[in-house]
Amino acid sequence: DIQMTQSPSSLSASVGDRVTITCRASQDIGTYLAWYQQKPEKVPKLLVYAASAFQSGVPSRFSGSGSGTEFTLTISSLQPEDVATYYCQKYNSAPFTFGGGTKVEIK
Amino acid sequence: EVQLVESGGGLVKPGGSLRLSCAASGFIFSSYTMNWVRQAPGKGLEWVSSITSNRGYIYYADSVKGRFTISRDNAENSLFLELSSLRAEDTAVYFCARAGPYSSSFYFDYWGQGSLVTVSS
């Protein structure tokens, strides 16, 4: 099975900072990659699908990129409301594995 | 408005069984692949199972294969997950989630609030 590895597992940044989260697949998954945001005690929310397509309502400071085995989620200017854990997920074929998550905090 | 409401969670002994339900509304249920995703306390997300719109394809995570059974009733707009031979490591919040609009869209655009399953003696 394809493994999904996120890095870092956690980060602390200042408001206004540019934040980048990386997700690596152990095999080529094309652009079958989604990103989710889960705020504390909340339900996960879809941010990005097809590696770079935005779900409706997602703020423009979020962007997704990549293909094949390496993907990134970037927050161009970190805001207090972005405190959350972010997960990537592959969906080219079953199992539809999630990455381990990246916890983003404000410094 | 899309709504997914899970029910059926609770406390069950190791080796026991439980049936989770998810009532869907606000969209054409029969047109979408539906899924279960779980999250153990303090842990990350784990995909559990998926069933396509016409039940043509069913998928399971290796960790639950042979113990869990996913099903759906398109007439009742409902998704189910039968959990059996439960283990302590199955303790988690179980989320019902809708997949994207295309047959290859196994990402999850709407989620329920979750139903807690606790496996303990």
Side-chain angles (χ1 to χ4, degrees):
Chain A
D1 291 346
I2 297 174
Q3 305 304 311
M4 304 301 292
T5 304
Q6 283 183 238
S7 60
S9 56
S10 65
L11 66 89
S12 181
S14 299
V15 172
D17 280 355
R18 182 181 183 88
V19 169
T20 298
I21 299 167
T22 298
C23 177
R24 288 188 173 88
S26 60
Q27 297 177 38
D28 189 337
I29 60 169
T31 56
Y32 289 91
L33 192 283
W35 290 98
Y36 301 85
Q37 175 193 63
Q38 187 178 30
K39 295 183 178 181
E41 307 306 318
K42 297 294 187 184
V43 174
K45 173 186 172 183
L46 175 68
L47 295 178
V48 172
Y49 60 96
S52 61
F54 290 101
Q55 182 68 347
S56 174
V58 173
S60 59
R61 62 181 179 274
F62 289 91
S63 64
S65 65
S67 66
T69 62
E70 187 152 337
F71 304 86
T72 58
L73 177 71
T74 300
I75 309 173
S76 60
S77 177
L78 186 67
Q79 299 301 305
E81 59 266 33
D82 300 334
V83 168
T85 300
Y86 294 83
Y87 296 93
C88 63
Q89 180 226 349
K90 65 160 275 274
Y91 60 92
N92 61 313
S93 62
F96 307 116
T97 310
F98 289 89
T102 296
K103 187 173 185 179
V104 174
E105 297 176 321
I106 300 291
K107 194 181 292 183
Chain B
E1 180 194 3
V2 172
Q3 286 198 318
L4 300 168
V5 180
E6 301 94 337
S7 61
L11 175 64
V12 60
K13 289 181 168 52
S17 300
L18 206 59
R19 189 193 202 206
L20 301 180
S21 300
C22 172
S25 60
F27 65 101
I28 302 172
F29 179 77
S30 60
S31 295
Y32 287 83
T33 292
M34 295 299 296
N35 313 272
W36 290 98
V37 177
R38 69 183 180 183
Q39 186 168 35
K43 302 296 185 183
L45 300 173
E46 181 186 13
W47 168 77
V48 172
S49 184
S50 299
I51 182 168
T52 55
S53 56
N54 60 0
R55 308 179 204 85
Y57 293 94
I58 288 175
Y59 305 97
Y60 296 101
D62 285 347
S63 58
V64 307
K65 202 172 293 182
R67 301 188 299 121
F68 290 8
T69 302
I70 192 171
S71 61
R72 65 190 295 162
D73 184 336
N74 287 340
E76 295 294 327
N77 294 338
S78 295
L79 176 72
F80 306 101
L81 187 68
E82 300 268 3
L83 296 72
S84 63
S85 303
L86 283 161
R87 308 165 180 165
E89 54 265 35
D90 294 318
T91 294
V93 173
Y94 285 74
F95 296 102
C96 165
R98 191 187 83 168
Y102 306 111
S103 61
S104 59
S105 302
F106 288 91
Y107 57 84
F108 312 130
D109 59 359
Y110 286 92
W111 298 63
Q113 290 299 309
S115 183
L116 177 63
V117 173
T118 303
V119 183
S120 175
S121 54

